[in-house]
Amino acid sequence: MKTACFQRQARQVWIVNDNVDITPMGGKPATKKTTGNTMKFKKVTARFDADNIELAEEVICHIFFSLNLKGVICEVPIPEPDEGFGTRTLKRPEHNSIIGYLPDTDDSDIMISKIRECLAGLSDMAVQVDVLSERVDEKDWAHAWKDYFNVTRITDKIVVKPEWKDYTPAPGQIVIHIDPGMAFGTGTHPTTSMCLALLEEHVQPGKTMLDVGCGSGILMIGAAKLGAGAMTGIDVDPVAVEITRQNLEKNGIAPEHFSLGAATLDKTPQVRYDLICANIIAQVIVSIMPDIAARLAPDGTAILSGIIEERVPDIYAALGAENLRCVRKINHEEWVALVVRLRTP
């Protein structure tokens, strides 16, 4: 069976600029190590094996994010997707691996020891992890993700094209020109592909849209090209917000057509939206479900993804608690996307 690797997780952040925060937890700012004008990083690789690969992947990624690793990539072999869902876009990895980066500072070895300590605790979950680290230059990895990103046909109508690739669209096709840069969202991941396909079905001309965790802006771009009205995008990472802005502009989306902010959903105004998208991990979706319900128009639609199959019961329970219901569920391998609406009296 052919296999492919997808850059997993609903949040992937690439931070390579000199303004990156390198303050260790509970400590004073550390000293960056550079060679000339090039900043050094520690590449941390967690190679793992487990009975439940998907759960192990999610837990290890959570540890990486909680310890502030950047540029997190998941390299896990999964069955090649159906045609139209990013086929043959990525090389097969040799190991189940989660990779992240730390600025190389006086305290980076302490952080790596902390990572090893946290991952060692996963043995209780029958997860075996081997942690490797090496020093790399910024230039050695800042553009490595480009090897994983090609022109991708999402549906017959929607195509995602990186700016460094050539593509001649067929009549009637919508082409999303995108440079994910330091933010998650290339269209090759099944969760993003499913969201775009569902947007094609549910975007109505002139209707408002909220993207929770906008990443690279790919969903906002798709919605705009499908005819959405005023759009709002939020992300906890300001780098992602800026990249979203750049990608919207590259696609000819006028600034008056969208607003962006670096914020969590609970800190945004309780404006009602016709369409809400949240392509983030299940744990976060569950935690923000009350805020999603508070911002969904009475006849609105929410598209929720970034969910693995075994977490669906948690999502359904959270929906029920907020008077929401799932009206459609689609799957791609272990990944799930849901179409959600408010319950009618």
Side-chain angles (χ1 to χ4, degrees), residues 42-46 64 69 98-102 112 115 119 131-134:
K42 286 289 185 72
K43 176 183 178 182
V44 182
T45 303
F64 272 36
L69 274 77
I98 309 297
I99 301 168
Y101 295 85
L102 289 169
I112 291 172
I115 293 165
L119 294 176
V131 180
L132 310 174
S133 66
E134 61 179 305

Side-chain angles (χ1 to χ4, degrees), residues 210-213 232-236 241 259-273 276 288 290-296:
L210 170 66
D211 187 3
V212 183
T232 299
I234 62 171
D235 201 291
V236 296
V241 172
S259 61
L260 300 171
T264 55
L265 183 55
D266 62 313
K267 301 300 182 183
T268 63
Q270 286 195 19
V271 176
R272 297 280 183 172
Y273 293 90
I276 297 176
I288 67 172
D291 298 303
I292 291 174
R295 290 160 178 79
L296 188 62

Side-chain angles (χ1 to χ4, degrees), residues 8-324:
R8 302 249 197 133
Q9 278 289 346
R11 288 286 301 116
Q12 177 190 29
V13 183
W14 296 83
I15 296 185
V16 298
N17 60 331
D18 272 343
N19 294 323
V20 65
D21 179 7
I22 57 172
T23 304
M25 291 185 299
K28 60 183 180 181
T31 303
K32 293 182 290 186
K33 297 179 181 179
T34 61
T35 301
N37 293 323
T38 302
M39 186 173 174
K40 295 285 187 178
F41 288 82
K42 286 289 185 72
K43 176 183 178 182
V44 182
T45 303
R47 293 181 180 173
F48 68 97
D49 195 14
D51 294 334
N52 189 328
I53 295 297
E54 290 80 15
L55 180 60
E57 175 188 0
E58 185 167 348
V59 172
I60 294 171
C61 281
H62 177 73
I63 290 172
F64 272 36
F65 293 138
S66 67
L67 294 176
N68 207 31
L69 274 77
K70 309 300 181 183
V72 175
I73 304 174
C74 304
E75 293 188 342
V76 178
I78 63 175
E80 178 117 340
D82 297 333
E83 186 67 27
F85 279 87
T87 47
R88 296 178 295 280
T89 56
L90 303 179
K91 298 176 289 186
R92 177 181 179 174
E94 296 180 2
H95 308 277
N96 297 324
S97 300
I98 309 297
I99 301 168
Y101 295 85
L102 289 169
D104 189 14
T105 70
D106 296 335
D107 298 291
S108 55
D109 287 339
I110 297 174
M111 288 298 298
I112 291 172
S113 295
K114 178 66 174 177
I115 293 165
R116 285 195 169 97
E117 178 184 344
C118 291
L119 294 176
L122 299 183
S123 59
D124 293 341
M125 299 172 57
V127 180
Q128 303 302 317
V129 187
D130 183 22
V131 180
L132 310 174
S133 66
E134 61 179 305
R135 181 185 291 182
V136 297
D137 287 336
E138 174 184 322
K139 64 182 179 181
D140 293 334
W141 67 274
H143 299 290
W145 50 270
K146 289 187 177 181
D147 294 337
Y148 295 86
F149 189 20
N150 293 302
V151 176
T152 305
R153 182 172 64 82
I154 305 300
T155 67
D156 289 341
K157 186 173 184 177
I158 301 174
V159 173
V160 179
K161 186 191 85 67
E163 61 180 0
W164 57 91
K165 297 285 187 178
D166 294 326
Y167 179 75
T168 301
Q173 279 190 330
I174 290 173
V175 179
I176 299 174
H177 304 270
I178 198 159
D179 178 355
M182 297 180 286
F184 175 85
T186 64
T188 60
H189 191 287
T191 60
T192 309
S193 296
M194 288 189 291
C195 283
L196 286 168
L198 290 172
L199 280 174
E200 183 178 335
E201 296 179 15
H202 293 281
V203 168
Q204 298 181 34
K207 296 295 186 178
T208 58
M209 181 250 197
L210 170 66
D211 187 3
V212 183
C214 54
S216 67
I218 188 170
L219 299 183
M220 294 181 70
I221 296 166
K225 294 198 172 190
L226 289 165
M231 302 183 300
T232 299
I234 62 171
D235 201 291
V236 296
D237 184 62
V239 175
V241 172
E242 179 55 30
I243 288 169
T244 292
R245 185 186 311 279
Q246 293 172 10
N247 281 323
L248 285 164
E249 291 173 353
K250 288 176 184 176
N251 282 267
I253 313 301
E256 58 269 22
H257 195 56
F258 62 87
S259 61
L260 300 171
T264 55
L265 183 55
D266 62 313
K267 301 300 182 183
T268 63
Q270 286 195 19
V271 176
R272 297 280 183 172
Y273 293 90
D274 300 305
L275 181 62
I276 297 176
C277 290
N279 183 23
I280 44 186
I281 62 175
Q283 178 182 353
V284 176
I285 291 176
V286 167
S287 69
I288 67 172
M289 198 71 76
D291 298 303
I292 291 174
R295 290 160 178 79
L296 188 62
D299 58 348
T301 299
I303 297 172
L304 311 178
S305 193
I307 306 162
I308 58 175
E309 180 67 46
E310 65 187 61
R311 294 299 181 92
V312 170
D314 298 334
I315 299 293
Y316 284 168
L319 290 174
E322 299 302 329
N323 199 36
L324 295 166

